[in-house]
């Protein structure tokens, strides 16, 4: 049994990362095992960059830690914002859950500002976002706002965003919302911007982003045979295809890992 265990561990340690032949258009990219945190592929993974609306994964994570989905929030004029919008109206009352759908599906910058009421306002909420980033080990990340609008003090890395994605997929309410293709909220029909949900089997969603300075950003998660991987691309003009290719290669790499784990489990059962 001991010899078999050593041999199996040797195999696991020697499983290669995703082949160098994988090419992505992204300036920075990471493919990571969502369970172990093992990096399977990386390109400029530690380079600090603008992250646009993928920021909203942290916004949603912090909001769900602070408030209950049924909490009612009153929209004010201060919550109006430029860019992508849920088209909130001052005086409107919505639950935190409804606002989070607007945040995660149609990427509402107004929804992002409204959910900061969970912490009593914008500044304390952003401070909590940075505290959460530190707790997750996101050492090269700093948030200046909850919506991802460009700011010199607002940045992250592909590696850090992959760590955020791992936390996000372990928050059931967030994952449920991020994987929803369409929702009706207050007379609005909200459609998820993440086209991978319809294009790729096993995609669990997460978050898109875009500004002119940041380019296209995308954080996603996919599951196959009980394994979950997360992928992050920053400044990527071909992100849908890049994510699909990364997952195809990543799950191929993990097949022998799964086989070894199955063998170890059977050996342990026989030894009992």
């Amino acid at each position: 049994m001991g010899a078999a265990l050593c041999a199996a561990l040797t195999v696991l340690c020697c499983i290669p990362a995703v082949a160098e032949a994988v090419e992505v258009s992204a300036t920075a990219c990471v493919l990571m095992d969502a369970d172990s945190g093992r990096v399977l592929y990386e390109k400029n993974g530690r380079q600090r960059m603008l992250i646009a609306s993928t920021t909203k994964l942290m916004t949603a994570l912090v909001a769900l830690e602070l408030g209950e989905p049924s909490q009612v929030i009153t929209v004010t004029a201060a919550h109006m914002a430029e860019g992508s919008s849920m088209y909130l109206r001052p005086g409107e009352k919505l639950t935190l859950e409804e606002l989070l759908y607007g945040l995660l599906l149609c990427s509402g910058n107004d929804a992002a500002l409204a959910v900061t009421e969970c912490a009593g306002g914008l500044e304390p909420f952003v401070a909590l976002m940075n505290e959460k980033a530190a707790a997750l080990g996101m050492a090269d990340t700093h948030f200046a706002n909850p919506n991802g609008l460009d700011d010199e003090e607002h940045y992250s890395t592909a590696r850090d965003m992959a760590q955020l994605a791992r936390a996000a997929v372990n928050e059931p309410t967030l994952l449920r919302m991020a994987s929803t293709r369409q929702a009706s909220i207050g007379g609005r029909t909200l459609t998820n911007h993440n086209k991978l949900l319809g294009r790729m089997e096993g995609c669990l969603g997460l978050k898109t982003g875009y500004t002119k300075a940041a380019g296209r950003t995308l954080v996603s998660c996919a599951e196959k045979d009980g394994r979950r991987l997360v992928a992050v691309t920053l400044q990527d003009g071909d992100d849908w295809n890049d994510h699909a290719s990364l997952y195809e290669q990543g799950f191929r790499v993990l097949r022998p890992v799964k086989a070894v784990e199955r063998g170890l489990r059977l050996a342990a059962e026989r030894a009992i």
Side-chain angles (χ1 to χ4, degrees):
M1 178 65 183
L5 177 61
C6 289
L9 289 174
T10 299
V11 171
L12 286 173
C13 292
C14 292
I15 298 296
V18 174
E20 291 294 332
V22 174
E23 294 183 5
V24 294
S25 300
T27 297
C29 170
V30 162
L31 178 69
M32 182 180 286
D33 187 318
D35 296 319
S36 68
R38 180 177 176 230
V39 173
L40 301 176
Y41 178 80
E42 181 172 22
K43 176 183 177 182
N44 299 326
R46 299 183 190 276
Q47 182 174 328
R48 292 182 177 183
M49 299 180 66
L50 297 172
I51 54 173
S53 286
T54 57
T55 295
K56 290 165 182 157
L57 288 173
M58 180 62 85
T59 307
L61 196 62
V62 171
L64 286 167
E65 289 184 353
L66 292 174
E68 293 296 325
S70 59
Q71 177 183 345
V72 176
I73 294 173
T74 301
V75 178
T76 72
H79 300 147
M80 302 300 100
E82 62 178 297
S84 56
S85 179
M86 187 182 174
Y87 299 104
L88 296 173
R89 299 180 296 273
E92 191 174 6
K93 296 180 184 294
L94 292 95
T95 65
L96 176 60
E97 181 169 352
E98 289 172 327
L99 289 169
L100 289 176
Y101 273 115
L103 180 84
L104 294 169
L105 271 63
C106 63
S107 203
N109 292 335
D110 48 358
L113 293 175
V115 302
T116 66
E117 297 303 323
C118 292
L122 180 60
E123 290 188 11
F125 190 93
V126 173
L128 290 171
M129 291 173 69
N130 285 310
E131 286 183 17
K132 184 65 176 178
L136 292 175
M138 299 169 66
D140 291 303
T141 296
H142 187 268
F143 296 105
N145 59 61
N147 45 39
L149 291 174
D150 297 332
D151 189 298
E152 289 184 358
E153 296 302 315
H154 193 98
Y155 54 81
S156 187
T157 67
R159 266 194 181 246
D160 279 5
M161 292 304 291
Q163 292 294 354
L164 174 57
R166 292 180 66 206
V169 298
N170 285 314
E171 212 309 318
T173 301
L174 194 164
L175 185 59
R176 169 172 57 81
M177 293 178 179
S179 62
T180 298
R181 295 196 193 184
Q182 196 170 77
S184 296
I185 305 294
R188 308 168 178 85
T189 299
L190 309 181
T191 301
N192 200 320
H193 289 177
N194 189 351
K195 293 181 180 179
L196 282 179
L197 287 168
R199 291 187 179 188
M200 197 183 80
E201 183 179 355
C203 179
L204 301 180
L206 287 186
K207 191 69 190 73
T208 62
Y210 173 80
T211 68
K212 186 175 181 180
R216 293 175 62 87
T217 62
L218 180 62
V219 178
S220 69
C221 177
E223 183 174 44
K224 185 176 182 179
D225 297 329
R227 289 275 186 175
R228 286 182 176 182
L229 301 181
V230 294
V232 178
T233 49
L234 303 178
Q235 206 170 67
D236 187 356
D238 195 24
D239 47 9
W240 309 125
N241 289 326
D242 284 342
H243 280 239
S245 177
L246 284 165
Y247 286 128
E248 180 183 358
Q249 296 294 330
F251 286 121
R252 183 178 298 145
V253 164
L254 288 177
R255 278 188 203 135
V257 176
K258 189 174 181 66
V260 169
E261 289 175 341
R262 188 184 304 114
L264 286 172
R265 185 173 62 254
L266 290 173
E269 290 172 354
R270 290 170 183 156
I272 294 175

